[in-house]
Amino acid sequence: MLRHPRSPNLRYLPLATALSLSVLAGLAAAPAPAQDDLRLPDIGSSAGELLTPARQEQYGAMMLRELRNYRYTLEDPLVDDWLQSIGNRLGANSDRPEQRYTLFMLKDRQINAFATLGGYIGMNAGLVLTAQREDEVAAVLSHEIAHVTQQHVLRGVERAQRDQVPILLGMLAAIVAAQAAGGTSSGEATQAALISAMGLIQQNQINYTRSNESEADRIGIRTLSRSGYDVDAMAGFFERMSFAMRGNQGGYSAPDYLRTHPVNTTRIGEAKQRAEQLRRGAVTATTSVGEPGGEQVQRVERLERGGVAAAPPGKPNPLLPADFRLHALPPALAGGDSGQFAWAQERLRALSAVTADAAVREYEALRRAGPDGLSDAQRYGLALVQSAREPASAAAELQALLERHPDNLWVAMALGEAESRAGRTAQANRRFDEWLRRLPGSRPVALSYARVLVEQGGAQAGQRAQEVLRPLLARAGEDPVFQQTFARACELAGDGARAGEAYAEAAFLNGRPEQALIQLENLKKRGDLDYVARARVDARIASITPTVLELRRQGIRDPDMQRR
């Protein structure tokens, strides 16, 4: 469960509340589930019939847009690419490899992660900062992916039909009353009302959540093993979280992750036991050409649980198809770290800090605490913080790091940005061009380069940024960072019509559909729109209009639009 922040943009709360209310009110009309709430999901569960996969995807995407609207998300191409790569790896080895998993990072320093409808999985920066290696991050993500594959999230919606609608109605009434009261205390009253209502929702569902945790652990650790990560990582992370809660280690008191994912000695012991079983007796199934197959693996595991032992090496098992072979999990898969964790962790530390000064103080504390001072990854994070204020000094530090790590993309991108800010634009652009040749189609490289070009300014830089970004255009429909950068590049290049489309798309993806619709309507008034562009704009207006009309029907207007 995502906690409410300490300093929310309170003027947007009615919009988010109304959207949540609309979703749950629609769900309330669905048939009540006949299955007992505490039963684990099975093939015959009614949860899959409650919402179609397409509708689940819509609700998940809407939630992510609202989180962006509140500015809770941390949008960074390098971090996004790293997190999504872990999710893709785990998802491909999950019980539902066909499911699309969308992972995103939030800038909050609290320890938390959650899964919601449509395979959308969020993780707080604080969880990555607390982890000690990538395997632990993967362990948490595999647990959340298991909540999706086992339809725990959807079954939670079934329960929400009875519990959450009345709570949200009361919350909405409290918010309206607090706003109508006016005065300086209205914001505090609104926040109190929201926190109280969310607390009730959490308390009403916590027992149901706990009933699914064991299965999510069991399925998750199996996915972790299939993906080549260390199976001990799950128990290790839970153990450290439990110790942190007891001793308030690192300044954390009862992390939010432990409220929705309660940890006790039994759960830790079970995770350790499963890890030991996987290490000693893990068996996987592969096709005759040695390619992993998710469903085939599940079939073998079901046979094992049913008491059918694997045939001795070299002898066929009569219960398996002839094209199957059984083999022990390779020892090489004991650890699956991509080698990017330390760099991702320090980039998150730099980007999630409240201020640059706070980040510098944090790194100074790390320097004093470390026996050898800062690690190379920590030096990289500190250089990121200093890049905006002292780009020449940051570039010198990053150059030294790149000499030690010549193929490190994280350091190379940061060095190019620092060089550009220090006035060495030609050198920076050559560096980005080289990486673009090495990694064609890379989102982190293309977006980092385009942002540098946009920062440099001018028509020529804008045109080059357009060229760099166009290969990503076909798969950037749900990417607000791309849309915002592409819009600015088109604007610099003098392509106002294309810039207008991209700005409108960025507004929609950032939770401002009314702004997007107005921008598109204004764009239609331009005389330089060709037939294809006009048809594209008309189609987008048609798709956004129902959302805006529904919000207006509920009396919800974009506050920025109301002030105009």
Side-chain angles (χ1 to χ4, degrees):
M1 190 76 177
L2 180 66
R3 73 183 183 90
H4 192 268
R6 296 184 180 87
S7 301
N9 293 322
L10 294 172
R11 65 182 185 276
Y12 301 131
L13 290 178
L15 173 60
T17 304
L19 287 173
S20 301
L21 185 60
S22 298
V23 172
L24 293 173
L27 297 179
Q35 199 169 3
D36 189 285
D37 288 337
L38 297 180
R39 266 187 69 184
L40 293 176
D42 55 37
I43 294 175
S45 169
S46 63
E49 301 175 1
L50 182 64
L51 288 173
T52 65
R55 184 58 63 88
Q56 293 178 53
E57 165 69 24
Q58 290 173 6
Y59 288 157
M62 182 186 70
M63 180 216 64
L64 179 53
R65 291 196 298 269
E66 280 303 302
L67 289 173
R68 290 172 180 152
N69 183 19
Y70 288 121
R71 296 180 175 85
Y72 294 162
T73 57
L74 194 156
E75 310 278 357
D76 179 76
L78 282 163
V79 171
D80 291 344
D81 190 68
W82 168 74
L83 186 66
Q84 189 65 49
S85 68
I86 299 175
N88 291 343
R89 180 174 167 181
L90 294 167
N93 290 284
S94 72
D95 287 356
R96 291 181 61 194
E98 76 284 357
Q99 168 72 50
R100 175 189 173 191
Y101 298 95
T102 302
L103 283 81
F104 55 93
M105 188 69 68
L106 293 100
K107 63 185 68 173
D108 201 303
R109 287 288 189 97
Q110 278 281 346
I111 305 171
N112 204 5
F114 63 95
T116 189
L117 295 173
Y120 283 77
I121 298 174
M123 175 171 284
N124 282 11
L127 193 147
V128 179
L129 295 179
T130 304
Q132 294 183 351
R133 52 199 177 107
E134 186 175 285
D135 298 81
E136 293 183 347
V137 175
V140 173
L141 290 177
S142 68
H143 176 97
E144 299 302 332
I145 284 174
H147 279 311
V148 177
T149 64
Q150 302 311 109
Q151 296 190 326
H152 294 161
V153 180
L154 199 56
R155 292 176 65 79
V157 172
E158 284 186 303
R159 185 180 179 90
Q161 293 178 112
R162 298 192 305 273
D163 298 341
Q164 288 193 13
V165 170
I167 292 172
L168 285 172
L169 282 170
M171 180 178 68
L172 180 59
I175 290 173
V176 171
Q179 295 296 328
T184 58
S185 64
S186 63
E188 295 179 1
T190 303
Q191 184 175 358
L194 184 67
I195 291 174
S196 298
M198 295 304 287
L200 285 171
I201 293 171
Q202 287 192 30
Q203 186 60 49
N204 282 356
Q205 291 203 19
I206 193 166
N207 291 332
Y208 178 78
T209 301
R210 285 173 177 168
S211 71
N212 296 317
E213 289 304 287
S214 178
E215 184 178 48
D217 285 350
R218 176 174 59 81
I219 301 297
I221 201 169
R222 190 174 68 192
T223 300
L224 199 67
S225 174
R226 291 175 184 168
S227 304
Y229 285 105
D230 182 5
V231 292
D232 288 320
M234 183 175 288
F237 187 78
F238 288 162
E239 203 165 30
R240 195 163 62 260
M241 290 300 93
S242 179
F243 181 74
M245 183 176 67
R246 293 195 304 269
N248 194 23
Q249 295 277 320
Y252 294 113
S253 178
D256 285 354
Y257 188 76
L258 297 184
R259 297 174 190 167
T260 52
H261 302 74
V263 176
N264 53 38
T265 55
T266 301
R267 186 178 179 191
I268 294 171
E270 289 175 350
K272 288 181 177 179
Q273 184 180 19
R274 292 186 191 106
E276 181 62 26
Q277 290 171 347
L278 284 168
R279 270 196 308 274
R280 288 187 304 175
V283 178
T284 59
T286 61
T287 64
S288 58
V289 294
E291 295 176 350
E295 294 180 359
Q296 298 160 353
V297 170
Q298 293 172 31
R299 180 173 182 178
V300 173
E301 288 169 341
R302 284 196 294 271
L303 289 172
E304 290 176 331
R305 287 197 296 273
V308 180
K315 295 184 180 180
N317 188 323
L319 297 179
L320 293 176
D323 61 343
F324 274 73
R325 293 196 311 272
L326 300 180
H327 58 82
L329 191 68
L333 294 184
D337 196 310
S338 67
Q340 300 182 66
F341 171 73
W343 309 96
Q345 186 179 53
E346 296 312 317
R347 190 171 182 89
L348 278 172
R349 192 187 308 279
L351 296 179
S352 65
V354 177
T355 64
D357 289 337
V360 171
R361 289 193 296 271
E362 188 172 356
Y363 277 110
E364 288 303 320
L366 289 171
R367 189 195 304 276
R368 291 190 297 270
D372 301 317
L374 296 179
S375 66
D376 283 356
Q378 289 169 341
R379 289 169 58 196
Y380 159 75
L382 180 57
L384 284 178
V385 176
Q386 295 172 333
S387 179
R389 299 186 294 186
E390 302 174 18
S393 175
E397 176 72 4
L398 290 165
Q399 179 63 55
L401 285 172
L402 192 60
E403 291 172 3
R404 291 169 57 88
H405 307 275
D407 295 322
N408 190 300
L409 177 64
W410 302 76
V411 177
M413 295 297 97
L415 177 55
E417 292 167 357
E419 287 173 334
S420 179
R421 290 169 186 159
R424 302 199 292 270
T425 57
Q427 182 176 340
N429 292 352
R430 283 195 299 271
R431 187 178 306 281
F432 281 112
D433 284 329
E434 172 61 26
W435 276 93
L436 205 58
R437 284 191 292 271
R438 292 172 63 177
L439 299 173
S442 167
R443 178 178 179 267
V445 174
L447 279 173
S448 298
Y449 189 10
R451 289 163 116 178
V452 163
L453 290 166
V454 164
E455 196 174 89
Q456 292 172 7
Q460 186 175 356
Q463 291 167 2
R464 178 57 181 149
Q466 284 181 307
E467 295 172 3
V468 168
L469 292 174
R470 278 202 179 96
L472 305 182
L473 196 57
R475 49 190 171 98
E478 299 296 321
D479 188 347
V481 176
F482 174 92
Q483 297 294 348
Q484 191 72 30
T485 308
F486 189 62
R488 181 58 182 146
C490 292
E491 193 173 39
L492 288 173
D495 188 354
R498 195 66 186 87
E501 285 187 71
Y503 275 130
E505 201 61 42
F508 177 77
L509 294 172
N510 284 314
R512 296 301 186 89
E514 190 170 359
Q515 286 188 25
L517 186 59
I518 291 173
Q519 290 175 19
L520 290 171
E521 292 286 0
N522 289 335
L523 190 59
K524 284 186 63 177
K525 300 174 184 177
R526 294 180 62 104
D528 57 347
L529 278 186
D530 60 26
Y531 173 80
V532 174
R534 190 172 296 277
R536 195 165 54 230
V537 170
D538 283 337
R540 200 65 185 113
I541 288 174
S543 65
I544 294 176
T545 297
T547 300
V548 175
L549 290 177
E550 176 61 21
L551 293 176
R552 288 180 178 175
R553 187 185 68 80
Q554 297 174 14
I556 305 300
R557 297 294 302 270
D558 189 310
D560 289 344
M561 297 291 99
Q562 288 179 304
R563 285 194 290 269
R564 293 186 177 182

